[in-house]
Amino acid sequence: MVPTRFLLYLSLVTLIPFVGCGTPPQKMNLSEAAMIPLPSSMKEDGSSFALSPSSKIKLNDAALQNLADYLKGLLGSSTGYALETATGSDLDQGDIYLQLTEIEGNAEAYILEIKEDHLVIKGSEKGIFYGIQTLRQLLPPAIEYRKSQEGPWLVPTGMIEDAPVYAYRGAMLDVARHFFGVEDVKRYIDLISSFKINHLHLHLSDDQGWRIEIRSWPKLATHGGSTQVGGGKGGFYTQDQYTELVDYAAKRFITIVPEIDMPGHTNAILTSYPQLSCDGKDRELYTGIEVGFSTLCTKKESTYRFVDDVIRELSLITPGRYIHIGGDESLVTPLEDYIPFMERVQKIVTSYNKRVMGWDEIAHADLERRAVVQYWSEAENALKGVEKGAKVLMSPANRVYLDMQYDSTSPLGLHWAAYIDVDSAYLWNPSDLVQGIGQDDIIGVEAPLWSETLTKMDDIEYMAFPRLAAIAEVAWTPSAQRDWQQFRQRLAKFSARFDAMDVNYYPSPLIPWDGGIEKALN
Ligand code: IFG
C-alpha cells in the first residue's frame, strides 16, 4: 500500500507544471458552483478534489461498467487521462467511486460525496447517471471540450443529496414538419440528458410528413415521408434507425415516446393511402404550415385496421410505456365522431400493453386507465382529464413551447402563444398553474419544439437553449428552492460550458453571461 503522503506529493508534483500557466487552480465552493437543475440539498466543506492522471473509476458492482465507460468518455478526452476502471472499494488518491445503492423514496435519487482524496456517486444506475451530470457541472467548463486541455481539474468538496420532484421530465421534437436525421436526434439526446431530462417525445407524423417505417403500410414513409415544410426532401427513420435512437437514448436514461397524431394532422397518411379518407380522393403532399384541415375517416372499419397495424408495429419497437396518439386540432372531425374514434384508438394502444398519452383534447373522450393528458392550450380539457382519473403532463404553450420566439426580433419561431424569454420559461410552478390540478395529478413537464421554422441542428439548439435548462429546473428542483435571480447567476456561467459543447445557444439579454470559454481558459 503506497503511503498517502507520497501520493499526495505525487499529485501535487503533477500539478506543478500547470501552476503559472493555463487555468490557475480556481478555488470554488460548492455553493458558488453553477449546477442546473439546482440539487435539492448540498453542504460544502470548502476544499477541493483533484482529478489526476492516476485517477481510476472504481465500481462496487460490475453492472456499472456501462456507466464507467460513459463517464470515461465524458472526462477522458478533455483531460487526456486514462481513467481505468476497476471493481472494488479500495480507493486511491483521485479515484471516482460509483456505488450502486438503493436510496429510499426516489428511483432517480443520488448522493455525490466529494472528499479531498476521492469522490463517490451513490444511487441506482439512473441515479448515478444523474450524479455524473452534476459532477460534469462541478468540473471546469473545459471538461466539455472534445480535445484534451491542461488541468487542473478541481471539484469543490462537500456532499450533495439530490432527487427530482417530477418523474417525467421531457422534451418533444417535431421531426414531421422538418425531418431531422439520426445524428441530429442523438445530439439532442446528448444535450437534454446533461440537464437530467428523461423522456424524448418524437412527433413522428403530421400533415407535412410521416417519419417512421411501417412495414404493413410502406407508402406512409416512402411517399408520406418524401417531403417537408417548404418542399425539401423530407425523410424517415427505418425501424432499425428508430431502434438505434431508442438504444442511444436508453443509455442516457431517456425513454422515447413516439407520437402518431390522429385523427387530425393526417394529410401525409391520406396522400399515401387515399382510401383512409372518407371521400377517397387523391391528395397532394402538403408543404405549408396550416393546421386543422385533415382527418382520417372515423366511419370506416379499414381506418381501425390501419391504426391497429401502426400501433402494433410501433409498440414492438418501443420499450417505453407510452404511445402518444396526438388528438390535437382535429378541426374537421365532428366531435361526435372524434370521441368514439379516440375511445377505439385508446383500446388498441392498451391491447398492446402500452399506456395512452394524448394532447389535452383527448379528454373529450372516455380515457383509458393510466392515460396521460398533455396540457398545451385548454386548461378545462386538462381539468376534465383529471376528473376522468387521468394524469397530466404539463406543456403550457405560453411557458414551455420552445418554438415560440424569444421576442419579436427572433429570426426563428412563432408567437401565437407568447414571446418566451428565459424568465417566462422559469417563472412558473406546474402545481400552481391550473386551479384544481395539484402536484399529485401531474406526472411532470415536457417542452415541445415544433419545427415549422427550423431546418437544422443549429436552429434546434438556438430555440432549445437556454430555455430548456430553465424548464429542466422547473421539473427537477423543489419550487421553494427556485429563485430567478439566483438561477440567472448560475445560468450566466453556462456560456463557457455551452461554448465548450459547441451549443448554438441564444445569448438572452436577461442573463449576465460570464464571457464564454475564452475567459474561462485564461
Ligand atoms: N399547435 C399544434 C402543433 C404546432 C404548434 C406550433 C399542438 C399540440 C401549434 N398542436 O401544439 O402542431 O403547429 O406552435
Side-chain angles (χ1 to χ4, degrees), residues 172 174 177 203 206 208 259 261 265 289-291 328-329 359-361 374 376-377 397 401 403-404 414-417 448 450-452:
M172 186 213 84
D174 171 8
R177 275 43 180 273
H203 184 74
D206 212 299
Q208 299 85 347
E259 178 187 350
D261 205 346
H265 287 270
I289 62 168
E290 295 305 313
V291 299
D328 63 310
E329 298 178 322
W359 300 105
D360 57 46
E361 292 94 322
Q374 184 164 10
W376 67 286
S377 74
Y401 266 35
D403 64 315
M404 292 301 114
L414 308 171
H415 60 267
W416 63 269
W450 300 101
S451 63
E452 282 91 339

